[in-house]
Amino acid sequence: MKIATFNVNSLRARIANVLDWLKDAQPDVALLQEIKCLEGEFPRLEFESLGYNAACVGQKSYNGVAILSRTRMEIELKALPGDHGDEQARYLEAIIDAPDGEKWKALRVASIYLPNGNPVESEKYPYKLSWMKRLKAHAAELLKLEEPTVLGGDYNVIPTDNDVYDPAAWAEDALARPETRAHFRALQWLGYTDAFHHLHPEGHRYTFWDYQAGRWQRDEGLRIDHLMLSPQAADCLEACEIDRAPRKKEKPSDHTPIWCELRL
DNA sequence: ATGCCTAACACCGTTAGA
């Protein structure tokens, strides 16, 4: 079962790109972030025409996450627990049905758009850190279920200096600061596996390249999109790769998809 | 030292992204 995550940087601006990617990559489940549209503007029919069930939590102009699944899914949560006052559309969780006639167990997935947090002196950084604390608390609850679970998305976290082209330049950025990294490691200490790092520990493989300054052409990027696996999912991990093809196209997102294959 | 680029929204610039 192939599960992919992709920060599309506006679904309306990227719809042709995203549909091409789905046709080429054929994920069973796709987690999308930064759809930047209201639910009423969500291109459900286009996804259904490719054979996907689709669900989203939308917001005008900013944020927004979605889940696409080839099989039936049930939405479990449309917001991250822990702060009823948080109105930003950054979390969607679903249970994905096993396909008929297969022995796959059901899979729980979440599409995550973790706050960027810059500038660090602003209220945005404490919001990011509190969001990460809430994520840890919820992730700990999910572990008690002992299910295969994939918490995937744009974490806006550079986990180590091996995940950025110029560590010194990024050391004080909200994506790389020690507090940010500590909260990300806390997820790993709980028992979640960073799928890509597990299979590609060599580092310097990126999922984001800034539009500016020729970052893509020079392969000066960041690894900030992650697939975090519960132990029951990590047991089934067969492969995990970054798909650079969509970043090469006309009018690309500044992120590119990352996927994992689980034999459930 | 700064902007580089892209998108949304509203307006012909500002905000946000990372």
Side-chain angles (χ1 to χ4, degrees), chain A residues 33-214:
Chain A
Q33 299 86 36
E34 280 208 90
I35 64 172
K36 294 190 180 180
C37 65
L38 292 164
E39 189 164 355
E41 304 163 318
F42 185 71
R44 177 180 310 281
L45 293 176
E46 285 89 333
F47 293 133
E48 288 178 350
S49 72
L50 293 186
Y52 289 98
N53 297 301
C56 75
V57 284
Q59 182 180 331
K60 186 184 169 92
S61 307
Y62 305 113
N63 309 321
V65 290
I67 300 176
L68 314 180
S69 172
R70 288 208 177 280
T71 61
R72 197 182 68 93
M73 64 176 154
E74 274 182 28
I75 299 302
E76 291 287 301
L77 285 171
K78 300 188 91 168
L80 182 64
D83 181 359
H84 294 299
D86 184 358
E87 308 212 323
Q88 300 190 25
R90 296 181 176 276
Y91 189 88
L92 182 62
E93 182 182 314
I95 294 178
I96 308 293
D97 273 12
D100 290 345
E102 299 281 351
K103 290 180 185 170
W104 295 348
K105 297 174 223 166
L107 174 73
R108 184 182 297 258
V109 299
S111 181
I112 289 171
Y113 180 44
L114 206 146
N116 175 299
N118 283 307
V120 171
E121 318 76 47
S122 73
E123 74 291 346
K124 292 181 179 184
Y125 193 54
Y127 173 65
K128 175 179 192 149
L129 295 181
S130 75
W131 210 95
M132 295 185 84
K133 286 181 197 164
R134 288 163 56 200
L135 180 60
K136 180 192 173 187
H138 183 57
E141 285 300 309
L142 292 181
L143 280 187
K144 296 178 185 172
L145 302 173
E146 301 191 348
E147 296 171 342
T149 299
V150 178
L151 304 180
D154 177 1
Y155 277 73
N156 272 313
V157 174
I158 299 166
T160 73
D161 282 353
N162 281 334
D163 300 304
V164 52
Y165 65 95
D166 183 349
W170 286 82
E172 291 306 313
D173 191 276
L175 279 64
R177 290 190 56 143
E179 299 98 310
T180 305
R181 288 180 170 173
H183 283 294
F184 186 76
R185 279 199 307 275
L187 279 178
Q188 296 171 279
W189 301 140
L190 277 180
Y192 287 87
T193 297
D194 174 344
F196 189 83
H197 179 256
H198 181 71
L199 293 175
H200 304 281
E202 69 278 11
H204 301 289
R205 300 275 305 276
Y206 307 125
T207 64
F208 166 92
W209 299 261
D210 199 302
Y211 289 124
Q212 304 178 76

Side-chain angles (χ1 to χ4, degrees), chain A residues 182-254:
Chain A
H183 283 294
F184 186 76
R185 279 199 307 275
L187 279 178
Q188 296 171 279
W189 301 140
L190 277 180
Y192 287 87
T193 297
D194 174 344
F196 189 83
H197 179 256
H198 181 71
L199 293 175
H200 304 281
E202 69 278 11
H204 301 289
R205 300 275 305 276
Y206 307 125
T207 64
F208 166 92
W209 299 261
D210 199 302
Y211 289 124
Q212 304 178 76
R215 295 290 183 221
W216 165 253
Q217 288 76 10
R218 297 147 80 155
D219 194 25
E220 293 176 344
L222 315 174
R223 189 173 73 91
I224 54 176
D225 299 271
H226 306 299
L227 293 163
M228 304 301 287
L229 311 186
S230 72
Q232 293 75 15
D235 273 344
C236 306
L237 178 61
E238 299 258 297
C240 182
E241 299 293 341
I242 294 166
D243 178 2
R244 294 165 65 103
R247 190 65 177 78
K248 300 173 187 166
K249 291 181 182 167
E250 289 292 311
K251 276 183 56 104
S253 170
D254 40 8

